[in-house]
Amino acid sequence: MRLEEHLKSVDKDIACLINLVAEKAKVIQWGFLSHNFYAGTENIYGEEQLEMDKWADRILFEAFEECGLVKTVASEEQAEIQEIVKAKGTWGITLDPLDGVSCVETNLAVGTIVGMFNEGNVMEKGEKMDAACYVLYGPLTTLVYTAKKGVHEFVMNKDGDFVLRKENIKMPEGNIYGSGGLNKDWTPEHEKYIKDLEKQGYKLRYSGSFAADFHQVLYKGGVFTYPALKEKPNGKLRLLFECNPMSFIAKEAGGDSTNGEQSILSIKPEKLDHRVPIYVGSKGAIKLAEEYMGGKK
Ligand code: P6P
């Protein structure tokens, strides 16, 4: 079944927005060859921007601007929320146009991550999201979406169409883990948690690309974490652009998420570049994380 067909079962605005992301993913995936050089600029996080980052951001923003449904776009590559004055619709979009872009140089999978809020307020808690999707540019180009009726994956075929690969994905308990941060910077609680996982036989899988590392956990179960570090209590990943959409998808697939104390989806964003420690994955691994981070173990 093609993506367009599958989307007939969801709200028509959401269908339009997800089809738009899929259309632009076809363009972006060919851009890795032509736009893979440093732009000589930095984003608000002080991270060097690849031309790809800015190019993908522009392609997706222009599509959201043209479609008429989107009122605001918050992008990881932009310092402010962008208002689309002529919009008829009220949708708010959070956008990480190319997550993990530093992995392009070594040909590892990278992703586009999108959150969708019908009421337009992207500074809402993640639990208020109406839909989320991500594109993974790997050996296959795939798109995963949820509109609160299950999690579904599509793969781009040789004709450039996205066709159903897996429907109603359910995250198993599984046994892989990926943790960001240098071991020497981990807190004692996090170190004990990781040691416990390894004692249980969890295998390390970490690429440096959140979208790719999350996708592994969605399929195989386990946990991805970018924890609080000794000198960085909020970790690295951004609540709006990375943590909320993936935590929303994880929950819809039967998984869970936490910052160590509460669900990622229950955290009220305080600012556009709000960073949070994140543990996202299978229910058992997330419960154990809260026990360790809460000092109960
Ligand atoms: P580190 C990419 O820059 C990113 O935001 C995520 O995609 C990824 O999980 C993390 O940072 C990698 O960070 O410190 O391991 O390079």
Side-chain angles (χ1 to χ4, degrees):
M1 178 189 283
R2 288 179 49 165
L3 176 63
E4 298 84 343
E5 193 58 34
H6 199 269
L7 285 168
K8 285 187 175 139
S9 63
V10 310
D11 170 278
K12 63 177 177 32
D13 282 3
I14 294 175
C16 176
L17 293 169
I18 292 175
N19 274 318
L20 175 158
V21 173
E23 270 315 298
K24 295 310 168 190
K26 298 175 193 175
V27 177
I28 291 170
Q29 68 143 1
W30 294 116
F32 288 116
L33 269 178
S34 52
H35 289 70
N36 180 15
F37 49 88
Y38 282 102
T41 54
E42 288 184 348
N43 62 19
I44 60 171
Y45 306 96
E47 295 162 338
E48 268 199 296
Q49 287 176 309
L50 262 181
E51 184 56 27
M52 267 308 280
D53 274 323
K54 297 169 72 171
W55 179 70
D57 186 51
R58 197 164 50 248
I59 284 182
L60 287 159
F61 177 78
E62 286 168 1
F64 288 128
E65 189 175 38
E66 286 313 305
C67 79
L69 296 173
V70 176
K71 187 84 185 135
T72 56
V73 177
S75 166
E76 188 176 290
E77 298 308 321
Q78 301 294 334
E80 308 291 335
I81 294 176
Q82 299 161 86
E83 198 81 30
I84 299 170
V85 178
K86 65 182 180 184
K88 294 185 182 61
T90 61
W91 286 89
I93 299 289
T94 63
L95 175 63
D96 186 353
L98 271 186
D99 174 73
V101 78
S102 57
C103 294
V104 170
E105 198 177 351
T106 47
N107 196 28
L108 292 176
V110 295
T112 295
I113 306 174
V114 185
M116 302 174 186
F117 293 82
N118 184 9
E119 295 307 310
N121 180 5
V122 296
M123 296 301 283
E124 268 293 1
K125 294 176 182 177
E127 62 199 14
K128 300 280 189 196
M129 212 173 281
D130 295 279
C133 70
Y134 64 91
V135 179
L136 196 55
Y137 309 94
L140 300 171
T141 295
T142 58
L143 181 143
V144 172
Y145 89 85
T146 187
K148 298 200 280 194
K149 292 180 182 171
V151 176
H152 318 289
E153 182 190 23
F154 297 78
V155 60
M156 189 186 292
N157 67 14
K158 61 181 175 22
D159 303 325
D161 296 322
F162 279 97
V163 295
L164 185 63
R165 184 177 192 225
K166 193 167 181 184
E167 195 170 36
N168 293 315
I169 298 174
K170 286 298 172 201
M171 189 186 284
E173 272 307 316
N175 66 353
I176 63 169
Y177 80 92
S179 176
L182 299 177
N183 295 32
K184 69 177 180 61
D185 297 336
W186 289 352
T187 63
E189 296 76 13
H190 182 73
E191 187 153 15
K192 281 192 278 186
Y193 172 62
I194 297 297
K195 279 202 167 54
D196 189 329
L197 294 180
E198 291 201 339
K199 213 164 124 204
Q200 294 180 55
Y202 278 64
K203 285 179 289 185
L204 172 60
R205 290 286 183 276
Y206 187 83
S207 74
S209 167
F210 178 40
D213 292 340
F214 172 81
H215 193 67
Q216 275 194 89
V217 170
L218 179 67
Y219 255 78
K220 297 189 175 168
V223 59
F224 171 88
T225 169
Y226 208 107
L229 301 174
K230 287 176 191 162
E231 303 304 318
K232 293 182 182 168
N234 293 323
K236 175 181 182 183
L237 269 56
R238 280 64 46 152
L239 176 60
L240 268 73
F241 307 113
E242 296 161 306
C243 300
N244 268 342
M246 295 312 212
S247 298
F248 185 76
I249 289 171
K251 188 158 179 60
E252 285 296 318
D256 209 345
S257 67
T258 183
N259 65 351
E261 293 162 19
Q262 65 184 98
S263 161
I264 293 289
L265 300 174
S266 67
I267 299 172
K268 181 82 171 87
E270 291 155 10
K271 52 183 180 168
L272 206 53
D273 60 346
H274 188 157
R275 295 176 195 256
V276 291
I278 180 169
Y279 297 80
V280 60
S282 312
K283 280 201 163 78
I286 300 307
K287 183 171 176 293
L288 187 64
E290 289 194 333
E291 287 171 2
Y292 274 103
M293 294 332 122
K296 297 191 187 85
K297 286 199 89 137

